[in-house]
Amino acid sequence: MSTAEHLQDAETWKRGFFMIVFVAIYTAAEVLVFGIVVFQFFSRLFTGELNPRLVEFAPGLSRYIYEILKYVTYESDERPFPFSDWPTR
């Protein structure tokens, strides 16, 4: 294939669009992780306990972030949630 054909490849442009979308989602997920970290720290500091819902949610979020990174770095062709199931532990 020539360079001109590569530039006109619809699949590449489609992937590029989804990569931009998932980088934006990744950025929002980073903010969410920061919020969870701060909340859990203060919860532990003031109550001596962690929020059990966040303890259960965090591993799925971590795996989701990993799936996003795999997709945007071309390690995987499978689009993360919402195009696939939400990751579990």
Side-chain angles (χ1 to χ4, degrees):
M1 277 181 113
S2 69
T3 302
E5 290 172 323
H6 287 295
L7 289 172
Q8 294 175 359
D9 184 15
E11 285 303 311
T12 301
W13 286 105
K14 185 176 173 182
R15 170 96 183 209
F17 169 76
F18 282 113
M19 289 172 72
I20 291 168
V21 168
F22 281 113
V23 166
I25 292 170
Y26 171 81
T27 302
E30 280 185 317
V31 172
L32 183 57
V33 167
F34 180 75
I36 290 171
V37 167
V38 170
F39 184 85
Q40 290 290 54
F41 174 77
F42 284 110
S43 178
R44 180 70 177 231
L45 186 64
F46 292 116
T47 68
E49 297 179 9
L50 298 174
N51 181 300
R53 289 188 177 141
L54 289 179
V55 169
E56 190 172 319
F57 175 71
L61 180 61
S62 298
R63 193 173 295 273
Y64 180 58
I65 290 170
Y66 178 62
E67 288 178 3
I68 289 173
L69 290 173
K70 284 183 8 178
Y71 181 75
V72 300
T73 61
Y74 283 91
E75 185 181 336
S76 171
D77 290 328
E78 184 177 342
R79 283 186 227 136
F81 179 84
F83 299 96
S84 60
D85 292 337
W86 180 261
T88 58
R89 285 184 176 237

